[in-house]
Amino acid sequence: MESILITGGAGFIGQNLVHAWRAARPTDRLVVLDAMAYAANIRSLQPLIADRSIVFVKGDVRDAALIRSLFEEHNPTRVAHLAAESHVDRSIVDPEAFLQTNVLGTFTLLNTALDAWRSAGALGHARFLHVSTDEVYGSLGPADPPFSESSPYRPNSPYAASKAASDHLVRAYVTTYGMPALITNCSNNYGPYQHPEKLIPLMIIHALEGKPLPVYGDGSNIRDWLHVSDHCDALLAVLARGRIGETYNVGGGNERNNRDVVGLICDTLDRAFARDTRLAARFPSCPAATGGSCRSLISYVTDRPGHDHRYAIDSTKLAGELGNRPGIDFEHGLEPTVQWYLDHESWWRDVTSGAYKAWIDKNYGFRIAV
Ligand code: NAD
Ligand code: TDX
């Protein structure tokens, strides 16, 4: 049995990781720390909190006194650090929050974990996993090889720059202080519990509500889609068997451009409405409710400033060293993801009320059809 601290455990990947960890290692003590910022939701964790299979703490990774007290009380020897501001468009509107959480928060957590492990003589067997992104490597041209662990850092958005800074801090702590840390840089995740500000849930929900599907620019930008459960498997493998001080890239092997992704979402929804006639009564504004296609809602709008053209990940190192490979191809992962949002309407209605509406006005209000 081990004691694990998961930060950002109420976010999209965090919730999936908590469930994956519980299933894979049921006797471990899981302590989940999350500030419960706008993207957080603990509904799926509530049964685990109620039956005491996890300890949930609402708090900020920048709060050194709180982190110290968590180490004193629970003695975690594993940390999975996921807490972050994670949305590129928000980083363009309000970069400061990204520097606060992603840079200062990572610094505080690293520093406090190092002190605690040093005092407890635990540096030799502890592990700190910093969960980062492929966006630190910048953007690829159409013919470039995928990003490898030795690709240069060329972050283009304030989000990517803040994650790059946090990666550098982790690396510096390994080299300077012997911090037992590892870094993963993964591609775009999708799956259950993703906040509706991100491409895939946003498009599903807009289509259900009969709203325009705002594709930035000409929709030719390419992302490498990784199902969140494949990502969680990779995180478990790296934490268990990765080499200290190393970086592992995690990709899905599913490069798709945004035009195709949005088209596939539309086709998947059209099929779901044809299969299940009750959907028309639940979502009467969706074109598929009256026999039309969700594709009619696609609208090309003003591009994201500094929009990275293409991400692709070379996961050879992860597969070769740890035997970990993604198992879910995009078309097979998308269908149940769309179904999850159809089955969890009250979940996304909750997270798309209030402040979310203000964000949609702010981010999409100025974009014009192109
Ligand atoms: P998310 O935005 O859904 O969740 C982030 C969580 O961190 C939220 O629950 C939020 O409340 C919490 N948080 C924010 N600020 C905090 C603070 N100061 N203290 C404590 N908690 C705080 O993000 P996600 O998509 O789950 O991403 C998780 C991690 O994975 C992030 O580090 C992100 O950079 C990285 N990542 C995500 C993707 C992706 O496609 N989603 C891809 C690559 C890397
Ligand atoms: O309304 C939209 N229209 C659109 O065309 C939105 C929200 C996005 N897009 C485009 C921008 C990107 O090319 O879709 C693509 C995906 O966008 P996001 O879902 O915002 O993801 P991205 O910017 O690629 O970043 C994601 O992957 C890397 C995560 O949000 C990051 O946290 C992660 O590090």
Side-chain angles (χ1 to χ4, degrees):
M1 176 186 147
E2 270 172 327
S3 176
I4 323 295
L5 173 62
I6 299 182
T7 73
F12 160 47
I13 301 171
Q15 286 177 72
N16 282 283
L17 182 64
V18 170
H19 290 294
W21 203 304
R22 202 61 298 160
R25 298 179 55 101
T27 58
D28 283 349
R29 181 177 186 75
L30 280 188
V31 181
V32 176
L33 172 70
D34 198 294
M36 295 305 294
Y38 74 92
N41 195 298
I42 56 165
R43 211 192 264 192
S44 85
L45 303 183
Q46 255 145 4
L48 304 182
I49 298 169
D51 73 11
R52 296 169 188 270
S53 353
I54 65 170
V55 175
F56 180 80
V57 180
K58 179 171 184 252
D60 198 306
V61 282
R62 289 169 300 168
D63 183 345
L66 171 67
I67 311 282
R68 216 172 291 124
S69 73
L70 292 179
F71 273 85
E72 277 161 15
E73 189 178 347
H74 302 289
N75 298 310
T77 50
R78 299 281 180 273
V79 172
H81 175 39
L82 291 91
E85 289 290 338
S86 69
H87 190 33
V88 173
D89 290 321
R90 286 188 193 253
S91 82
I92 294 166
V93 173
D94 177 15
E96 189 179 339
F98 288 71
L99 296 178
Q100 285 291 338
T101 286
N102 301 358
V103 184
L104 290 177
T106 301
F107 162 72
T108 306
L109 189 67
L110 265 177
N111 214 36
T112 314
L114 177 67
D115 280 351
W117 285 339
R118 263 185 181 158
S119 313
L123 272 185
H125 59 275
R127 277 163 173 257
F128 184 108
L129 173 60
H130 175 61
V131 178
S132 191
T133 172
D134 57 2
E135 302 203 13
V136 297
Y137 300 123
S139 183
L140 292 169
D144 289 338
F147 298 126
S148 75
E149 289 78 2
S150 55
S151 297
Y153 271 40
R154 291 201 175 105
N156 289 319
S157 70
Y159 163 71
S162 69
K163 292 295 289 189
S166 66
D167 293 8
H168 290 319
L169 268 172
V170 173
R171 191 187 141 81
Y173 266 63
V174 172
T175 315
T176 308
Y177 305 115
M179 181 74 175
L182 308 99
I183 301 175
T184 52
N185 294 87
C186 75
S187 57
N188 286 59
N189 282 220
Y190 70 104
Y193 306 113
Q194 187 166 33
H195 192 273
E197 67 191 356
K198 303 285 168 58
L199 178 75
I200 290 181
L202 183 127
M203 295 297 170
I204 297 170
I205 291 165
H206 275 216
L208 291 175
E209 296 188 323
K211 294 179 182 162
L213 308 182
V215 178
Y216 296 163
D218 65 1
S220 65
N221 305 69
I222 293 169
R223 298 292 182 263
D224 173 4
W225 292 97
L226 170 68
H227 194 276
V228 66
S229 64
D230 279 338
H231 184 203
C232 290
D233 287 348
L235 296 180
L236 284 162
V238 172
L239 247 177
R241 306 189 302 281
R243 284 184 293 136
I244 300 293
E246 292 292 318
T247 288
Y248 294 88
N249 280 358
V250 189
N254 290 299
E255 281 188 62
R256 300 284 186 283
N257 71 40
N258 294 338
R259 248 188 338 254
D260 289 348
V261 169
V262 176
L264 275 170
I265 293 169
C266 291
D267 298 347
T268 308
L269 281 169
D270 292 349
R271 282 198 303 277
F273 275 72
R275 231 179 12 246
D276 180 353
T277 49
R278 290 165 305 177
L279 289 175
R282 284 175 55 204
F283 304 107
S285 306
C286 178
T290 47
S293 168
C294 294
R295 282 183 182 258
S296 61
L297 296 171
I298 294 175
S299 158
Y300 292 90
V301 300
T302 315
D303 209 350
R304 172 186 280 175
H307 196 175
D308 285 337
H309 184 68
R310 174 178 166 235
Y311 305 142
I313 280 276
D314 175 351
S315 312
T316 312
K317 180 174 172 183
L318 180 70
E321 278 189 25
L322 307 182
N324 178 275
R325 288 176 184 80
I328 304 176
D329 78 62
F330 187 60
E331 281 70 13
H332 283 100
L334 187 63
E335 184 105 25
T337 301
V338 169
Q339 191 60 46
W340 189 89
Y341 284 90
L342 287 170
D343 294 341
H344 292 80
E345 184 183 351
S346 72
W347 182 89
W348 55 260
R349 291 248 178 247
D350 274 1
V351 293
T352 54
S353 60
Y356 179 77
K357 288 196 193 324
W359 162 251
I360 291 292
D361 291 345
K362 200 168 187 176
N363 190 45
Y364 296 94
F366 75 94
R367 292 181 196 274
I368 51 164
V370 289

